């Protein structure tokens, strides 16, 4: 059975709480079928020049992705 799960990667600054999301190939929903090994993620990011963006920089994303980011952000802030 094939799954359609995606991963939203973020970085939350420990002292300021500023939260950034990884945008890669003009999307924040990443890695269909990617291995769970962190080394794979790190090498993929280095190879494809991903960029961490603030929520305010996500205006060009699809409406579905914007809604996913808003949901992720609210969950992260409650943590």
């Amino acid at each position: 059975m094939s799954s359609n799960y995606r991963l939203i990667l973020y970085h939350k600054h420990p002292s300021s709480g500023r939260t950034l999301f990884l945008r890669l190939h003009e999307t924040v929903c990443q890695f269909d079928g990617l291995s769970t090994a962190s080394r794979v993620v790190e090498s993929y990011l280095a190879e494809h020049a991903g960029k961490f963006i603030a929520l305010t920089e996500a205006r060009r994303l699809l409406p579905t992705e914007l809604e996913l980011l808003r949901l992720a952000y609210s969950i992260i802030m409650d943590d």
Side-chain angles (χ1 to χ4, degrees):
M1 184 186 308
S2 174
S3 66
N4 197 19
Y5 295 114
R6 296 294 190 273
L7 180 66
I8 295 176
L9 291 173
Y10 73 94
H11 168 74
K12 185 176 179 183
H13 192 276
S15 59
S16 72
R18 182 174 185 213
T19 303
L20 302 174
F21 297 93
L22 177 67
R23 182 183 68 203
L24 184 64
H25 303 297
E26 301 304 317
T27 182
V28 292
C29 297
Q30 305 295 333
F31 310 125
D32 181 31
L34 183 67
S35 166
T36 57
S38 64
R39 289 183 191 166
V40 173
V41 173
E42 290 171 6
S43 64
Y44 187 87
L45 294 178
E47 185 179 315
H48 292 86
K51 178 184 177 188
F52 280 92
I53 60 168
L55 190 57
T56 56
E57 298 175 85
R59 293 182 201 135
R60 294 186 198 162
L61 296 176
L62 296 173
T64 305
E65 290 188 71
L66 287 172
E67 188 58 36
L68 286 171
L69 281 185
R70 287 185 191 107
L71 177 61
Y73 186 78
S74 68
I75 291 168
I76 293 164
M77 291 292 106
D78 286 342
D79 192 19

